[in-house]
Amino acid sequence: MPQFRQDFITKEWVIVSAERAKRPDQFQHERACRTDRPAHDANCPFCPGNEDKTPPSVYQQGDGANWRIRVVPNKFAAVNPALSPKRQRDGVFLSAEGFGVAEVIIENPAHNTCLSLMPPEGVKGVLETYKQRYTALSGNEDIDLVTIFRNHGPAAGTSLEHPHSQVIATPIVPPLVRVLMQQALIYHDTYGECPYCVMMNEEIKRGERIVADGKHFLVFCPYASQSPFQMRIMPKRHHSRFDKINDEEMAELAHMLQTALKKLYIGLNDPDYNLVLHSSPTSDGELHYDHWRMMIIPRITTAAGFELGSGIFINTMPPENAASFLRGVAVN
Amino acid sequence: MPQFRQDFITKEWVIVSAERAKRPDQFQHERACRTDRPAHDANCPFCPGNEDKTPPSVYQQGDGANWRIRVVPNKFAAVNPALSPKRQRDGVFLSAEGFGVAEVIIENPAHNTCLSLMPPEGVKGVLETYKQRYTALSGNEDIDLVTIFRNHGPAAGTSLEHPHSQVIATPIVPPLVRVLMQQALIYHDTYGECPYCVMMNEEIKRGERIVADGKHFLVFCPYASQSPFQMRIMPKRHHSRFDKINDEEMAELAHMLQTALKKLYIGLNDPDYNLVLHSSPTSDGELHYDHWRMMIIPRITTAAGFELGSGIFINTMPPENAASFLRGVAVN
């Protein structure tokens, strides 16, 4: 029987359509094995030896040419730090110059690796870099929101194979972010608890949508997942801002993130996905009602006219089935 | 210079990145010509002679086997009219059985046509069918929202070539729809005018984003378009509900819709697109602050992690350039 489900935070609805469900293995990707690619590509601007094809690093792990991770300004940035953040009215239309900061995090010297394949300390280095850039960009008082994300594969919006993440810092907190926060605020004002903490405890109690449960982090498939195999990674300690993460948590997060991505990589044969880090607007300080988290969104289905028109997504993979499948994928 | 722009109604922001703009012809699709396909496909469930492969028509134009348009229940529906619309609480989770009505509008007997290619009276027949189904489903008191849409091509979410639209009627008005309506309501409460009427008049005054301007309808590329070549078709006479359209308007709408789609078909070589009809929830009656409209959303770019995380879309085709290009495409 198909079922409407409402997301506890966003209040958006999905239709979970078990009748149309495929078996998990029918979602497998046809990509050729990533490790069949060369470890170094002389034409890749992110490969070692081509450092002059990018602007100089703004942050680096490893010394000089022996870098392990490099952060460089995005040469094809959609925003520019030299512009003004000031809003401008023109009749009914509101605009601003495209002020902002866009950076590329080159995650590893190897061209043919990814977060699922690199050594655990490599994943930890990437997350430390996320924190370093989040903290550095938070210091810019014209910046209100720092979005850190990863596009993996063409269906996720990237044509560049070399493993990389991106950072875009904007002077704007958009409605998608603010409306969610307002829903969480209303919940907190009503019940006196963070709704994310409440949801996470409920998921732990039920168990059926959990992919991995650690001391500090929970990985689960959300109750109202909009598309197959979505995963959320949430810290058990309440904080609205990612930069509050401590070293012990960072080590576990690296392990949990790699576990989640490796389960996708092995179970679905390296599907395209987006990874998004949600953290409160940098101008808002620490909040009782918001809770930082990571979303993994495999891009294996297409939103069509109904989804675009109504915001109601049809998900043919019940998240309980997705979680059960992912729990069963051995990653060691 | 890149520019942030805010949508006048939704308040969502986009970044219009002219630096990264391609020429319009670089967005051309590689699809083989649609008319090279056979006019009849014996394996297609929507082709004449295969009427027994679908459930019986719930509405039809033309008699018996000589149908011009057929509406049939969707055999692979995500919702089911035999279920209950009642919401159910289970701890913090809210759900409902998947009650609803899903129908397919088979737009034409010919397998190899589309709204851009069929005779004008064929397009008018499709729109009359939209109105008939909207009206019929509005009569169901458990239905709150009737979404009518069209998925054209694989990137728009369909693998079926035979020209068809879809209807999904749900007992739920989702936040995507309601939040927009609330923004419009606040504007109306503040200024005493429908914000869509205000925006449309502003677009007519400026002219630069207009694709076609008729007696009853305006076709334009929205100021804060989220992706290249988006078009909005709006009635100049204020109504929140599509079923208020009269016969004279219907004839012009058919012409304007076909003109808009033909310009895409010729100018960009038949790109995949979604067409969505937005009309007020059927349970709300006629509203001063809402305004029915159609959206044409070409699916020629991919939303990536930044868009999914922030809701801020990066659009590399300024809508003024898109409108200028589309105005220049001859369709007669």
Side-chain angles (χ1 to χ4, degrees), chain A residues 2 4 20 76 96 98 151 299 303 305, chain B residues 2 4 20 76 96 98 151 299 303 305:
Chain A
F4 283 98
R20 306 208 295 181
F76 303 96
N151 304 332
R299 300 295 294 272
Chain B
F4 283 98
R20 305 207 296 182
F76 303 97
N151 304 332
R299 301 295 294 270

Side-chain angles (χ1 to χ4, degrees), chain B residues 75-103:
Chain B
K75 258 176 103 164
F76 303 97
V79 288
N80 183 336
L83 299 173
S84 161
K86 201 164 158 47
R87 314 287 206 275
Q88 293 161 351
R89 273 198 201 83
D90 175 17
V92 306
F93 297 119
L94 195 65
S95 69
E97 293 181 5
F99 167 79
V101 180
E103 297 176 341

Side-chain angles (χ1 to χ4, degrees), chain A residues 112-159:
Chain A
N112 63 348
T113 189
C114 61
L115 291 181
S116 305
L117 300 176
M118 60 181 75
E121 61 271 23
V123 180
K124 185 154 178 278
V126 170
L127 292 173
E128 286 165 355
T129 305
Y130 284 10
K131 182 176 176 180
Q132 200 281 340
R133 298 319 297 156
Y134 185 88
T135 304
L137 292 166
S138 299
N140 181 331
E141 66 176 19
D142 287 326
I143 292 297
D144 272 2
L145 187 73
V146 176
T147 304
I148 302 181
F149 59 99
R150 190 171 203 284
N151 304 332
H152 183 84
T158 188
S159 48

